[in-house]
Amino acid sequence: SFQFCVVSIILKKSIQTPQQQTMTRLAQCIRRSYSTLRPNNLLNGSERELKPRVLARFYCRSPQLGQKEEYSIYQYPLATEPPEITRTQAADVAENVEEKDPSFKIPKGAEDRSDTTGLSTFEIDQIREQQKKLLATNLSPSIVPGHSEPAGLPANVRRSELMTPQTHLTQLDNGIRVVSQELSSSGLSSTLGVISNVGSRYEIHPRQRGATNVLQLLSFGTPTPSYPNPSSFLMDLGGAAHICDTAREQSIHCIDLLRPHVDEAFPLLQQVLLEPQWVDDDVEGAKRALGFQAEGAPPEALLGEAFQLAAFGHDQQLGQPHMFLEDNPELTASVVREFWQNRFIDNPDEIVVSGAGIDHEQLIRLTEEHFGHLQQKANNANSAQANPSTYHGGQLVLDRESPDKLVRVGLGFKIGGWHSGDLVATCVLQTLLGGGSSFSAGGPGKGMYSRLYREILNRHSWAESAEAFAAFYSEVGLFGLSGSTTPNRTKDMISVFANQLKKLADEPVTDEELDRAKNMLRGNVLTQLESRLVLFEDMGRQILTYGQREQVPQTCEKINAVTAADIQGVAKRAITSSRPTVAIVGGGLFPAQSQAMMKFVGAFLKQT
């Protein structure tokens, strides 16, 4: 009855009797504090005699007060007072309408315009012309829509006449290799660029540490002799995009643009790569930007750096840091130019020009015109060579607290590199293990049936993430498991990872798991290669690494040929032929804890 009274009555004093006014005051008190206050403490003696049930009965029997003024607490859940509801008809306010000025007249010819300020048609047209001039964009004549067919557009043929795209490879006299593949589906778009053996592993002198990261920011970001602002020039060509990505072994410089502008953009690519105008201010600015990036680097990236250092040591090329984690005062513009000159300009044998969605003969012509003059410099004393790195395993703890207060843990072993016969089987194994985060946005379907999801994330509430990783290099590779958990569960996470790797070596995977992993890997490869950017990168990296490109059907056949014995053999060779590597990134950990964990893992896996 209390709530019934509280949420259902609005009484107006103008139509209430004294008894009704008393009951109204009671209803308001009950409504405001019926859960904590008692009406008897607030009302005078005469009002104490009124009971809530009487009020409820009065409300139900009163046609004046209950029919039009009621409201629901679900409509006003936070209201402390009933809403004031007023209804007004147009006839009630017609007398207050302001009369129009009889002298005002709409300009002739502007009756249909929304403007009522009294502007003439001529004035309005002038304003609109000024607005058009301010908003006008000076587009290149080559991108203004026309009636003729754009140059370089592939012929539109019937589906039955389409041919399977072929990869074409040509080596120029100076050693540069040109690879391309025409795409009927790319239409007016092309992706072209250069892939080279320029990476952080070649920073052999201490003064060069960080040069690869600086190059990533300087490329396309500093003026060249003919292009004061390369990014603006590409935007004027119709929104062309440029990408520069560096890694430990290779670098990519590419442009994604409309096909008719390939001839215009290629000179820019040449000047960015061969005629850079870097000065010390540019390098210092890039170093500051990299320093800010390092401060906010995700813990997973730091775990990867720690894992490389623990696996190879800082005295080997693959153990050198790739991320710009510490400032290097010796890294100047002249040092960056020297590094780039030795690794790229004087080294055309390790340069591949790749293009997706472009005619092969056109790409050869442009490469010869702009890069054909490069010559290989023999016996260059300053040129860094790829000295093989030896895996030795170990442990490393990076005491750096993350915003989520979690600890990142990685456990892994040595595997073969790019030229290993276990490459495809390792990729299938990584897909089979899968993994991810304990939180999945967007619904199911993201590897929820992979082994790490089923046997780690779904079984251990303290496991925030768990996934398999693989890193391949020229001479060696790394494979393992990484994840995140709370600091007090770090040892448990390592133990679970060790059990998973041991299980792979002891027991063959099921046919269901294997088929699912192979299907997923095949699907990922085929789906990714539908992208021009991925196709461009795939062709360039394969030519630079193997000297030839493997066709997609051959890759799918290799995936299909992987057996459960192959998966078991990869796992067994990994954990029995090398020491484990353990890397931990997080706050509140001490080296003694890490050493104890390392001994635990080593003793546990020694039984295999």
Side-chain angles (χ1 to χ4, degrees), residues 328-534:
N328 183 5
E330 296 183 272
L331 184 62
T332 61
S334 60
V335 174
V336 175
R337 282 195 297 269
E338 176 193 17
F339 176 77
W340 183 249
Q341 182 78 27
N342 293 333
R343 286 304 310 162
F344 185 87
I345 299 178
D346 294 343
N347 196 24
D349 286 349
E350 299 183 17
I351 293 177
V352 174
V353 177
S354 177
I358 184 173
D359 180 71
H360 188 65
E361 296 301 325
Q362 180 185 12
L363 188 58
I364 292 176
R365 173 179 59 80
L366 292 171
T367 304
E368 288 180 335
E369 180 180 350
H370 297 285
F371 294 93
H373 62 283
L374 298 181
Q375 296 297 324
Q376 184 73 26
K377 299 294 179 66
N379 300 324
N380 189 347
N382 295 321
S383 179
Q385 301 300 321
N387 297 323
S389 297
T390 303
Y391 174 92
H392 54 69
Q395 56 88 20
L396 179 66
V397 175
L398 180 59
D399 188 5
R400 180 166 176 172
E401 188 171 4
S402 60
D404 56 12
K405 310 298 183 182
L406 297 177
V407 174
R408 270 67 184 181
V409 180
L411 170 65
F413 296 87
K414 168 190 172 183
I415 57 172
W418 285 117
H419 303 277
S420 169
D422 291 334
L423 177 66
V424 178
T426 303
C427 294
V428 174
L429 173 57
Q430 181 185 5
T431 307
L432 185 146
L433 291 172
S437 172
S438 59
F439 173 75
S440 177
K446 303 175 182 64
M448 303 296 286
Y449 284 93
S450 62
R451 178 172 288 195
L452 295 188
Y453 256 111
R454 291 183 289 106
E455 299 190 5
I456 294 183
L457 293 173
N458 292 346
R459 294 186 182 182
H460 304 289
S461 60
W462 43 263
E464 294 294 331
S465 66
E467 60 184 341
F469 68 87
F472 299 100
Y473 304 103
S474 298
E475 67 273 31
V476 71
L478 298 173
F479 177 81
L481 305 178
S482 65
S484 59
T485 186
T486 53
N488 62 322
R489 290 288 189 171
T490 304
K491 185 176 180 180
D492 295 329
M493 179 68 86
I494 296 177
S495 176
V496 168
F497 285 171
N499 274 290
Q500 285 296 322
L501 295 174
K502 185 176 183 297
K503 181 179 179 180
L504 287 169
D506 292 342
E507 305 172 10
V509 298
T510 64
D511 293 339
E512 181 182 3
E513 285 183 300
L514 182 60
D515 289 342
R516 183 185 294 125
K518 292 194 291 186
N519 289 337
M520 181 175 290
L521 181 59
R522 269 198 317 272
N524 290 341
V525 170
L526 296 174
T527 303
Q528 291 293 321
L529 288 177
E530 293 180 3
S531 166
R532 285 190 318 278
L533 289 169
V534 175

Side-chain angles (χ1 to χ4, degrees), residues 32 39 126 138 162 176 223 255 271 346 357 379 390 406 417 433 442 468 477 505 528 534 548 594:
R32 291 173 184 171
Q126 276 190 323
N138 296 322
L162 291 175
I176 292 180
I255 301 174
Q271 291 196 12
D346 294 343
N379 300 324
T390 303
L406 297 177
L433 291 172
Q528 291 293 321
V534 175
Q548 61 182 0
S594 170

Side-chain angles (χ1 to χ4, degrees), residues 95 224 459 466 468 475 538:
E95 298 178 357
T224 65
R459 294 186 182 182
E475 67 273 31
D538 178 70

Side-chain angles (χ1 to χ4, degrees), residues 80-266:
T80 58
E81 293 287 344
E84 292 276 341
I85 301 176
T86 60
R87 295 178 177 85
T88 305
Q89 297 182 359
D92 299 334
V93 295
E95 298 178 357
N96 299 325
V97 176
E98 191 174 329
E99 295 286 340
K100 291 186 177 181
D101 185 1
S103 62
F104 175 78
K105 294 183 179 180
I106 299 176
K108 187 177 181 180
E111 291 85 354
D112 59 337
R113 301 181 186 272
S114 60
D115 182 82
T116 58
T117 59
L119 295 176
S120 66
T121 305
F122 176 75
E123 292 172 328
I124 293 174
D125 291 338
Q126 276 190 323
I127 293 174
R128 289 182 173 174
E129 289 298 325
Q130 293 175 357
Q131 291 174 343
K132 289 180 180 179
K133 291 179 181 179
L134 292 175
L135 298 176
T137 302
N138 296 322
L139 298 177
S140 171
S142 60
I143 63 174
V144 175
H147 299 288
S148 59
E149 182 178 304
L153 184 64
N156 188 15
V157 299
R158 298 176 184 272
R159 179 179 180 183
S160 58
E161 299 175 4
L162 291 175
M163 305 294 292
T164 302
Q166 298 295 322
T167 302
H168 301 281
L169 175 64
T170 302
Q171 182 168 347
L172 305 185
D173 295 337
N174 62 352
I176 292 180
R177 287 162 287 181
V178 181
V179 60
S180 70
Q181 181 173 308
E182 185 62 271
L183 293 174
S184 58
S185 60
S186 65
L188 278 173
S189 301
S190 299
T191 302
L192 52 95
V194 176
I195 300 177
S196 58
N197 276 334
V198 179
S200 57
R201 73 173 299 171
Y202 302 106
E203 298 168 358
I204 58 175
H205 301 293
R207 66 177 183 275
Q208 297 175 338
R209 299 293 166 81
T212 304
N213 291 106
V214 170
L215 285 168
Q216 182 170 341
L217 296 184
L218 295 181
S219 299
F220 297 104
T222 53
T224 65
S226 303
Y227 305 94
N229 192 332
S231 297
S232 297
F233 174 77
L234 292 175
M235 289 297 294
D236 291 340
L237 292 182
H242 58 81
I243 297 175
C244 178
D245 181 62
T246 61
R248 279 188 161 81
E249 290 191 317
Q250 296 175 350
S251 297
I252 292 177
H253 297 76
C254 79
I255 301 174
D256 188 65
L257 73 169
L258 297 176
R259 187 185 293 251
H261 305 315
V262 169
D263 287 350
E264 297 179 66
F266 216 88

